[in-house]
Amino acid sequence: AGLGSTPFLAAYNVSKHGVVTLSETLHHELAVLGSELKVSVLCPGFVTTNLADAPARREAARSAPPQAARPDAMQEMLRAGIAEGIPAEQVAEQALAAILEERLHVLTHPEVEASLRHRAENIIAGNSPTDLRRWTALATASPPRTHPGKGTGD
């Protein structure tokens, strides 16, 4: 989180990018001042939690604007990512190790490196930093059929 830009999650992306740049700025400022204080910023991938079932998440999915990707499909992608995520205990162990090693960025998933490299190369080349094919398919897919008055949340 905080190192990429996922479509349809603008507020989430901004908040996570903000934390990363705040942490990087604080890291630089402390170094320039010769402080012994250090900063680490946790940028996890999917973690096996109950985030997808949180009441606020369900409400946000129901109130998504019509032009957004299908909320049910976004919710399913979130659930699938979480199901394949790493345990929160493993994230905590990695975070503690990074703090003890005085590492700035704590990347919990090895595949993030390739994604960051791809993003940087695309930005330098003047291309979109995100492969939008899967998101375009999600946004344009037909919603599942429901019977009138059933399963629509109305």
Side-chain angles (χ1 to χ4, degrees), residues 52-125:
D53 297 319
R57 168 67 66 185
R58 288 194 307 270
E59 182 55 36
R62 279 196 292 273
S63 62
Q67 71 275 13
R70 291 187 10 241
D72 59 318
M74 292 291 288
Q75 188 75 1
E76 285 310 308
M77 283 184 68
L78 176 63
R79 284 182 194 284
I82 289 172
E84 295 173 8
I86 63 175
E89 296 80 11
Q90 187 177 341
V91 173
E93 290 169 5
Q94 290 183 34
L96 179 59
I99 291 167
L100 294 174
E101 295 166 12
E102 299 181 355
R103 280 188 283 132
L104 174 57
H105 296 95
V106 184
L107 307 177
T108 59
H109 292 64
E111 61 273 15
V112 169
E113 269 186 48
S115 177
L116 287 173
R117 189 171 289 106
H118 178 76
R119 176 180 168 77
E121 289 169 354
N122 276 323
I123 291 170
I124 291 165

Side-chain angles (χ1 to χ4, degrees), residues 7-101:
F8 308 110
L9 296 175
Y12 176 84
N13 293 336
V14 168
S15 68
K16 300 305 178 188
H17 280 267
V19 170
V20 171
T21 196
L22 174 67
S23 300
E24 290 172 350
T25 302
L26 183 57
H27 165 82
H28 297 315
E29 291 172 354
L30 291 170
V32 167
L33 295 173
S35 175
E36 292 184 23
L37 294 175
K38 305 297 179 192
V39 176
S40 293
V41 59
L42 180 62
C43 302
F46 283 110
V47 180
T48 52
T49 66
N50 64 354
L51 175 68
D53 297 319
R57 168 67 66 185
R58 288 194 307 270
E59 182 55 36
R62 279 196 292 273
S63 62
Q67 71 275 13
R70 291 187 10 241
D72 59 318
M74 292 291 288
Q75 188 75 1
E76 285 310 308
M77 283 184 68
L78 176 63
R79 284 182 194 284
I82 289 172
E84 295 173 8
I86 63 175
E89 296 80 11
Q90 187 177 341
V91 173
E93 290 169 5
Q94 290 183 34
L96 179 59
I99 291 167
L100 294 174
E101 295 166 12

